[in-house]
Amino acid sequence: MPARVEDDDDWSDSDDEVISGVETDVLLGVPDGSVDNEDDLRDVAVSRIGGHPALLPSSEPLFPSSHCNNCSNPMELLIQIWCPFEDSPMDRALYIWGCARTTCQKQSGSIRAWRALRYNATYAAKLEKSKARKDAQKKAATPTANPFSMQNPVTFTPFGLGDQIFGQSASNSSDPTLPPEDENKSDSESEASEADESLITAMASVTFQESAWITAPSYPPIYLSTVAEYIPPEPKPNIPPSARMEEPSDDDKQGKDASWGFESYENALKVDSVFDRFTKRIAHTAEQCLRYDLKGTPLPFASDKVFESLFPDPPQDPLPITKAAFKVVPEVKHSYNTSSIPRCPVCKSSRVFECQLMPNLINILRDTAKEKDIDVRNLTDEQRIKAVQEALKRSKEPDSRCMEWGTCMVFSCEKDCCLSDDGKGVNECWREECVLVQWDE
């Protein structure tokens, strides 16, 4: 079992890659085949790329939630994630939309994310039973118990959500998101528990048969599966045992002077170490479309204004101007800081990083969109003429379609509040969260 490691909140341009041969706390979302099952399309607990949203709230959210803030047109759903918080009685899903119109690229509001919550009474009752059972166990504990013993060691999983973060089955027989049950419970209790779990899944599925949401543009739906991020060990250099290091000869040194101009040109080039680190990190799992790391640290795409706001330069003493005062300047450490992220407008709590979209998602959506194109060979003459006319019309439009972002970071309410506009607690809510986009320059 590989060791786990958490990313350091400090960022240094001279830092090497994260320790190799480890499994991080980041969950990676990867495409896992077309969604052809109608039940899965309607089930909000099934995470997906593209498609139409399976909406969680019982009252239909306003359709303009998915509209671009620039062109005011409906946007395609990029990703939908089933991501309930640990020990929370709320069902929870995250929806991210994106505008592919060229004129809207690099514009604020062309990528939008919404958080949906709904109170789950069945699961809330389970949590209460679990809490009461734990309280009873604490009262029954003997005062002479060894406080350092681990009778029931805790198994830690990322965010306490395990494999259920994207609605997949857990590898073991029990669901890690559900409170533990008594080991000696009767068969009837076990059957009742299984029925409750089925009810939880059923309650998560809401369908709006006649709705503007169904008429919105969409990409073909694809299952979104999750894998833990693993950083493989660095390969050892294959150097023969008989190899020797030799000093360069005088001729070699003269040759070095002759190539000085080329080397100085290379050194003059500005290398974006942030982008270099980004590409090296995602190369370990190139098919990733999403990185999920609740309350973790995002992986910045490049050294731009977004990076500077999240990883600001620390204050430094001014450099000396005289040779006598010369001193060695330590490497710069950029500490991760979310103070620039707007607070939740409802409960005023801080927002924390939750997930980010990766460049490969654009490739996946573009490829599926091509597959969705109509095959004119199977149409009637009238349908074929209409299809060709529409294609020619689209080709002449200056507003072509493509997405140009490098990564889209989503920051959500730290308390995952479920409040009305006046601050009162409610059983369900639909709230927009903060998205920071690093564009592909």
Side-chain angles (χ1 to χ4, degrees), residues 199-214:
L199 179 60
I200 292 173
T201 303
M203 289 177 64
S205 180
V206 175
T207 304
F208 301 106
Q209 294 291 353
E210 297 180 0
S211 168
W213 291 96
I214 304 301

Side-chain angles (χ1 to χ4, degrees), residues 188-320:
S188 61
E189 289 177 325
S190 297
E191 293 175 0
S193 177
E194 292 176 0
D196 288 343
E197 293 176 23
S198 299
L199 179 60
I200 292 173
T201 303
M203 289 177 64
S205 180
V206 175
T207 304
F208 301 106
Q209 294 291 353
E210 297 180 0
S211 168
W213 291 96
I214 304 301
T215 64
S218 66
Y219 299 104
I222 299 173
Y223 286 108
L224 182 67
S225 296
T226 175
V227 297
E229 182 185 43
Y230 176 70
I231 308 298
E234 293 290 339
K236 295 181 179 180
N238 187 16
I239 301 177
S242 59
R244 294 184 305 170
M245 297 295 293
E246 297 182 354
E247 290 292 329
S249 63
D250 293 338
D251 293 339
D252 292 335
K253 292 179 181 179
Q254 293 176 0
K256 179 180 177 181
D257 294 336
S259 62
W260 177 87
F262 179 73
E263 288 184 353
S264 63
Y265 173 76
E266 283 188 324
N267 293 333
L269 292 175
K270 182 180 179 182
V271 178
D272 190 338
S273 58
V274 177
F275 177 73
D276 182 58
R277 187 172 180 176
F278 179 90
T279 55
K280 288 181 179 178
R281 186 68 174 268
I282 67 174
H284 300 301
T285 309
E287 65 270 25
Q288 62 183 276
C289 296
L290 178 86
R291 295 176 65 87
Y292 193 99
D293 190 12
L294 183 63
K295 297 184 180 180
T297 305
L299 180 65
F301 175 74
S303 299
D304 58 3
K305 292 183 179 180
V306 173
F307 173 79
E308 293 172 357
S309 67
L310 294 176
F311 300 88
D313 290 334
Q316 294 184 7
D317 296 332
L319 294 176

Side-chain angles (χ1 to χ4, degrees), residues 331-350:
E331 62 180 5
V332 176
K333 287 282 188 178
H334 301 266
S335 296
Y336 175 56
N337 192 323
T338 59
S339 60
S340 61
I341 305 297
R343 288 179 171 268
C344 174
V346 182
C347 71
K348 310 306 178 184
S349 298
S350 299

Side-chain angles (χ1 to χ4, degrees), residues 17-24 229-234 281 284:
E17 184 55 271
V18 67
I19 302 173
S20 61
V22 297
E23 186 177 287
T24 74
E229 182 185 43
Y230 176 70
I231 308 298
E234 293 290 339
R281 186 68 174 268
H284 300 301

Side-chain angles (χ1 to χ4, degrees), residues 36 63 302:
D36 299 322
F63 183 50

Side-chain angles (χ1 to χ4, degrees), residues 36-235:
D36 299 322
N37 188 300
E38 289 296 329
D39 291 337
D40 288 346
L41 290 173
R42 293 191 295 266
D43 191 349
V44 71
V46 176
S47 298
R48 77 286 306 269
I49 297 171
H52 288 111
L55 298 169
L56 179 61
S58 57
S59 57
E60 181 177 328
L62 296 176
F63 183 50
S65 300
S66 65
H67 290 189
C68 175
N69 284 338
N70 300 286
C71 64
S72 300
N73 287 307
M75 298 186 290
E76 288 89 349
L77 179 69
L78 302 182
I79 273 183
Q80 173 178 333
I81 314 168
W82 173 250
C83 46
F85 280 13
E86 182 184 16
D87 294 334
S88 170
M90 310 298 291
D91 289 334
R92 185 177 187 273
L94 190 68
Y95 307 80
I96 306 175
W97 280 274
C99 184
R101 291 174 176 80
T102 304
T103 54
C104 297
Q105 301 308 297
K106 302 183 182 180
Q107 301 295 323
S108 176
S110 60
I111 306 290
R112 302 178 67 181
W114 290 78
R115 168 176 58 96
L117 294 176
R118 187 176 64 184
Y119 182 73
N120 189 323
T122 304
Y123 189 65
K126 282 180 162 294
L127 288 174
E128 287 297 324
K129 287 177 61 179
S130 177
K131 183 178 182 299
R133 184 167 54 254
K134 291 178 180 178
D135 291 343
Q137 290 173 351
K138 288 181 180 179
K139 291 181 180 180
T142 59
T144 57
N146 182 357
F148 299 103
S149 66
M150 295 185 66
Q151 301 296 331
N152 296 305
V154 179
T155 301
F156 291 96
T157 55
F159 335 122
L161 299 179
D163 290 336
Q164 294 298 308
I165 185 69
F166 296 148
Q168 294 178 237
S169 299
S171 58
N172 53 13
S173 58
S174 62
D175 187 337
T177 66
L178 298 179
E181 299 293 337
D182 294 332
E183 295 180 359
N184 58 351
K185 64 183 178 181
S186 64
D187 293 340
S188 61
E189 289 177 325
S190 297
E191 293 175 0
S193 177
E194 292 176 0
D196 288 343
E197 293 176 23
S198 299
L199 179 60
I200 292 173
T201 303
M203 289 177 64
S205 180
V206 175
T207 304
F208 301 106
Q209 294 291 353
E210 297 180 0
S211 168
W213 291 96
I214 304 301
T215 64
S218 66
Y219 299 104
I222 299 173
Y223 286 108
L224 182 67
S225 296
T226 175
V227 297
E229 182 185 43
Y230 176 70
I231 308 298
E234 293 290 339

Side-chain angles (χ1 to χ4, degrees), residues 345-414:
V346 182
C347 71
K348 310 306 178 184
S349 298
S350 299
R351 282 189 169 110
V352 295
F353 173 73
E354 182 167 2
C355 64
Q356 66 186 107
L357 305 183
M358 305 304 288
N360 187 48
L361 178 61
I362 297 177
N363 299 329
I364 297 298
L365 295 174
R366 182 173 57 234
D367 292 343
T368 55
K370 291 179 180 178
E371 295 174 0
K372 188 180 178 182
D373 289 344
I374 299 175
D375 187 354
V376 297
R377 294 173 298 180
N378 298 324
L379 302 179
T380 64
D381 291 342
E382 184 178 353
Q383 291 173 329
R384 186 182 298 108
I385 293 173
K386 184 177 180 180
V388 172
Q389 288 176 339
E390 291 179 352
L392 290 173
K393 181 180 179 181
R394 289 195 300 270
S395 66
K396 294 179 180 179
E397 291 178 352
D399 188 16
S400 57
R401 299 178 62 78
C402 67
M403 288 184 287
E404 301 176 7
W405 43 262
T407 189
C408 307
M409 308 174 187
V410 178
F411 297 82
S412 304
C413 174
E414 184 177 25

